[in-house]
Amino acid sequence: GVIVPVGFGDRGLEGKILAAKYALENKIPYLGIWLGMQTDGLEFARYKLGVSDASSIEFDKDTKNPFVIFMPEGSKTHMGGTMRLGSRRTYFQVKDCTSARL
């Protein structure tokens, strides 16, 4: 299996996305922890949904296709202690989409 661990900042981000892509394409079990899970989501957006510039606001605040955003109630300037713990309601900006229906 492939484990992509936590990380801070964008150092190694593209390599982590490629690791997720490799695992998916080769049907290898993948475990993304914290940033590793973000990279898995970005891999899916880029290579499965075809949104080649999908990014995270954490790394590119001006991205045209933010697939990972900061939690509205979290700090946008302080690193650390910002992970989501437990259950949290998700509000969709677009109601008529697959994610909202699921």
Side-chain angles (χ1 to χ4, degrees):
V2 174
I3 297 175
V4 175
V6 254
F8 294 96
D10 62 354
R11 187 180 71 207
L13 179 67
E14 294 303 320
K16 290 175 182 178
I17 293 170
L18 289 175
K21 181 176 188 278
Y22 178 84
L24 181 67
E25 288 176 343
N26 292 283
K27 299 183 178 170
I28 297 171
Y30 178 89
L31 174 62
I33 302 169
W34 201 345
L35 179 59
M37 190 62 199
Q38 282 190 40
T39 58
D40 188 36
L42 294 176
E43 184 283 328
F44 186 83
R46 290 180 181 184
Y47 300 106
K48 290 295 180 183
L49 300 179
V51 184
S52 63
D53 62 344
S55 191
S56 167
I57 289 176
E58 183 177 349
F59 310 119
D60 179 3
K61 65 181 177 77
D62 298 319
T63 182
K64 292 182 179 138
N65 287 299
F67 272 72
V68 179
I69 64 168
F70 280 104
M71 292 181 287
E73 68 277 11
S75 172
K76 292 176 179 59
T77 58
H78 178 68
M79 285 284 249
T82 57
M83 72 176 126
R84 179 179 296 177
L85 301 172
S87 178
R88 180 182 180 276
R89 183 174 296 278
T90 299
Y91 297 95
F92 293 92
Q93 294 176 351
V94 176
K95 303 289 186 205
D96 186 28
C97 67
T98 302
S99 296
R101 285 191 295 276
L102 290 172

